[in-house]
Amino acid sequence: MAAHIGRRLRKGAATTAVAAAAVAALSASQAPGATVDDQGRQNTGDATSAPDTAADDSATGNSPYYTDLPPLNSPAPSPSAGSGEAGDRSAAEAGIPATVLDAYKKAEAALREKKAGCNLPWQLLAAIGKVESGQARGGRVTADGTTVTPILGPQLDGNGFALIRDTDNGAYDGNRMYDQAVGPMQFIPSTWSWAGRDGNGDGRKDPNNIYDAALAAGHYLCRFDWDLSEPGDLRKAILSYNNSTEYLNTVLSWLEYYRKGTHEIPDGTGALPEDRSDAPPGVTPSAPGTTPPARPGTRPGKPSGSRPSPRPSAPGTGSPSAPPTTPPPPTPPTPTDTVHHLEDAGTGTLTAMAGHTFAERISTRAETEAGKAVAKVRIRFTIVGDTDATFAGGESVATVTTDASGVAVAPALQAGERTGAFAVQAAVAGRSVKGVSYKVTVTQRVADALTRVGEKELTCVAGGEFAEPVEVKATYGGEAAGKVAVTAKLVTSADDPAENDKGPYFKDADGKAIRTLTGLRTGPDGQLTLPKLYADDTAGTFLLRLTTAGGATLEVELTVEPAAAPSPAPDPSADPDPSADPDPSTDPSTEPSETPAA
């Protein structure tokens, strides 16, 4: 009891310091026009830069969380620090269980590779994990990171919480009536269905596995191209996880604490949280895997606000009966409750070239059964199929609220490099009603023009090699056409596209002559340099034809000159030139003159 009272006093002192620090941290990044609603939720007037943070579009559905604040002592105490119960608890609170800490650091490394511009620190995952589940209930996980027992938040039935009806048929939370936040990072099923990741490589996406959940949380926080090193983006990301200013301040306090240092503790030895956002003062949270504590005025197993029927007094006893109860007024339907189906709102053909942005955007209309438009309804657009296309920001899911005409326009689609067809499904967030499926097609990259780079003639002597490489540039609509497929072929003539069997040639990996090259692609600037060309012993003018996807063609002339004729060797059988090397014995000038006879 003394330790518990001491903790309460310590927390009261810490709250003042943390609140001051949180205000200072937020003041510089506070968006213009920011307001806080009557439930402590922070909103900004810039609707285009902030995500839709309705309950079923946040990671947790705005479920309850733990409000315990960091210890006042050093964040990295030595194992011998303190003594007795207070010292042991301080070390357990300050430390992070080994497997849980490993999961956070692996998630940070994965995001550093996939989304380096997000600058996600593992300490942010640790702060959220602390607030959501007390680091997986003190690190009570198996060797592969799966929680020993499932961690479930309360059912989101609208009684003091958001109203989110079942979206997963109980697959994740075991509840077929309402959704519940699941796992150490407390994802609601509708969010996990698209945000879930396989962090431990076992081929499954399990919200109760800390490796899977930590990686999913990292990707969730890094969507919308947020840079978490910027205070404003950091604030938006945390609020998108659970839209509460108190939640934001609590996470920031743990983030700052862990940034100053922490230490690893054995799995299962972490301290369990004591204070939860929905618990009345003095109520201790339930043990791991059990039902969360009831809210004031409720009974375990019964909906909030339910009361037993008054028992009538026995006849003749004179005991007054209980006063009649007035049933609560029915809850008025939300706009989402009135939606009967979705209709296409005039979306055109969804086709784009690989690597390009789709010119057409998906438009969907929410309607009642009578066909009347319904405004203020969240429409979730989900990319499905074998594709690497994404919405702006690199995500496969986007949620947009319908306007006054009942129409929601999805963010622009960005085609990846994978060609073919896939689908985008539009559905009402939090409702199972008839949606709309849109067929989308990504075509291969093309070029409509191909030109040679440089004007120098391409010549070679027979049996030699061309000194200048062939360089070309592909364009489409006057712009550089990068990553376009190109085929290079040495043809017989301009009128005969058959492959030539003589003249210039390329070499394959084994050094053998080939005269057709496929699989070539232009660079990001649209340029391509062909491999070196060689020539056989045939002289003449030859034609190299280049073609691209899209029909662009270019013909390049190659000239092979005859090799120089070698000098003839001397013939030993031929008569020598007398004038070249006179024989002294036959030279008349050396013969004796005749003397006439006497």
Side-chain angles (χ1 to χ4, degrees):
M1 176 64 71
H4 182 71
I5 294 174
R7 174 177 168 77
R8 291 290 184 179
L9 291 174
R10 184 193 66 202
K11 180 175 178 177
T15 302
T16 303
V18 171
V23 170
L26 290 173
S27 60
S29 59
Q30 184 71 43
T35 60
V36 178
D37 64 18
D38 57 359
Q39 297 183 18
R41 293 175 179 152
Q42 193 164 6
N43 304 296
T44 69
D46 185 2
T48 61
S49 62
D52 183 348
T53 52
D56 57 343
D57 287 321
S58 68
T60 68
N62 297 334
S63 293
Y65 54 90
Y66 291 103
T67 59
D68 302 55
L69 292 172
L72 296 179
N73 58 294
S74 167
S78 65
S80 61
S83 61
E85 179 185 353
D88 292 342
R89 182 168 186 86
S90 177
E93 287 177 337
I96 299 177
T99 299
V100 178
L101 180 59
D102 184 58
Y104 296 150
K105 291 185 176 181
K106 278 185 167 57
E108 179 198 55
L111 268 297
R112 191 184 307 121
E113 178 182 351
K114 295 291 185 181
K115 294 186 177 182
C118 178
N119 293 306
L120 171 78
W122 66 261
Q123 292 91 341
L124 176 59
L125 296 176
I128 290 176
K130 182 69 175 182
V131 171
E132 293 295 346
S133 68
Q135 310 298 19
R137 302 296 182 131
R140 288 159 176 79
V141 296
T142 59
D144 70 345
T146 303
T147 57
V148 175
T149 55
I151 299 175
L152 295 174
Q155 68 176 14
L156 301 174
D157 56 7
N159 287 313
F161 306 120
L163 174 59
I164 305 180
R165 296 185 176 89
D166 176 55
T167 61
D168 66 330
N169 199 29
Y172 294 118
D173 54 15
N175 190 335
R176 296 188 178 183
M177 292 187 65
Y178 301 99
D179 273 351
Q180 295 175 247
V182 183
M185 303 303 278
Q186 289 289 278
F187 279 96
I188 54 173
S190 58
T191 302
W192 184 261
S193 65
W194 62 266
R197 296 293 195 277
D198 177 15
N200 63 350
D202 64 356
R204 299 175 61 238
K205 299 176 182 178
D206 182 3
N208 277 300
N209 181 279
I210 186 59
Y211 287 98
D212 295 359
L215 183 60
H219 278 277
Y220 185 91
L221 293 165
C222 287
R223 70 201 195 286
F224 301 117
D225 286 335
W226 282 330
D227 178 358
L228 302 186
S229 66
E230 294 291 334
D233 283 357
L234 175 64
R235 178 184 60 80
K236 291 177 185 177
I238 296 173
L239 286 172
S240 78
Y241 210 90
N242 193 313
N243 195 21
S244 159
T245 302
E246 183 183 3
Y247 179 88
L248 171 68
N249 293 340
T250 307
V251 169
L252 287 175
S253 69
W254 281 104
L255 171 60
E256 181 65 17
Y257 181 79
Y258 287 137
R259 276 177 166 164
K260 292 178 180 178
T262 185
H263 63 279
E264 178 183 298
I265 59 175
D267 289 344
T269 64
L272 293 178
E274 292 188 352
D275 305 311
R276 212 174 70 165
S277 61
D278 68 325
V283 175
T284 302
S286 57
T290 60
T291 304
R295 297 183 298 280
T298 66
R299 292 187 179 184
K302 292 190 176 184
S304 175
S306 63
R307 297 180 181 177
S309 300
R311 179 179 298 174
S313 58
T317 62
S319 300
S321 60
T325 59
T326 302
T331 303
T334 65
T336 300
D337 293 330
T338 66
V339 178
H340 177 265
H341 62 274
L342 299 180
E343 292 286 349
D344 174 44
T347 305
T349 302
L350 296 166
T351 302
M353 191 190 308
H356 288 64
T357 300
F358 284 76
E360 187 72 17
R361 292 171 65 176
I362 296 173
S363 297
T364 303
R365 176 182 163 98
E367 297 183 353
T368 64
E369 187 173 7
K372 183 180 179 181
V374 184
K376 298 182 180 180
V377 174
R378 294 175 302 282
I379 307 299
R380 180 175 292 123
F381 299 94
T382 306
I383 298 173
V384 295
D386 185 16
T387 181
D388 55 353
T390 62
F391 289 112
E395 296 298 329
S396 60
V397 176
T399 303
V400 181
T401 302
T402 57
D403 59 17
S405 62
V407 174
V409 180
L413 278 166
Q414 176 68 41
E417 295 303 321
R418 196 172 302 166
T419 59
F422 62 95
V424 173
Q425 294 178 349
V428 177
R431 285 285 313 275
S432 296
V433 299
K434 178 177 175 291
V436 184
S437 182
Y438 296 87
K439 181 181 179 181
V440 187
T441 304
V442 177
T443 60
Q444 66 178 333
R445 292 175 179 264
V446 299
D448 56 14
L450 195 60
T451 57
R452 187 182 160 209
V453 178
E455 299 179 353
K456 189 173 181 179
E457 292 186 1
L458 300 170
T459 61
C460 174
V461 296
E465 60 185 50
F466 287 81
E468 296 291 329
V470 177
E471 296 182 83
V472 297
K473 181 173 182 178
T475 56
Y476 182 79
E479 300 292 332
K483 300 182 181 180
V484 174
V486 179
T487 297
K489 183 178 182 180
L490 290 147
V491 297
T492 302
S493 68
D495 300 324
D496 186 355
E499 181 181 281
N500 205 338
D501 60 357
K502 61 185 67 176
Y505 61 90
F506 301 102
K507 287 183 179 180
D508 64 12
D510 298 324
K512 296 180 180 179
I514 55 173
R515 290 185 167 86
T516 300
L517 293 178
T518 58
L520 302 172
R521 286 193 179 274
T522 60
D525 58 357
Q527 296 198 38
L528 170 67
T529 300
L530 271 61
K532 183 182 287 291
L533 275 162
Y534 301 85
D536 62 13
D537 294 334
T538 307
T541 300
F542 300 89
L543 204 59
L544 172 64
R545 178 173 292 167
L546 297 103
T547 56
T548 71
T553 302
L554 174 67
E555 293 181 344
V556 179
E557 283 193 354
L558 305 172
T559 302
V560 179
E561 299 175 345
S567 301
D571 185 356
S573 64
D575 291 335
D577 183 358
S579 63
D581 186 18
D583 184 352
S585 63
T586 60
D587 188 349
S589 63
T590 62
E591 294 181 358
S593 60
E594 295 183 1
T595 302

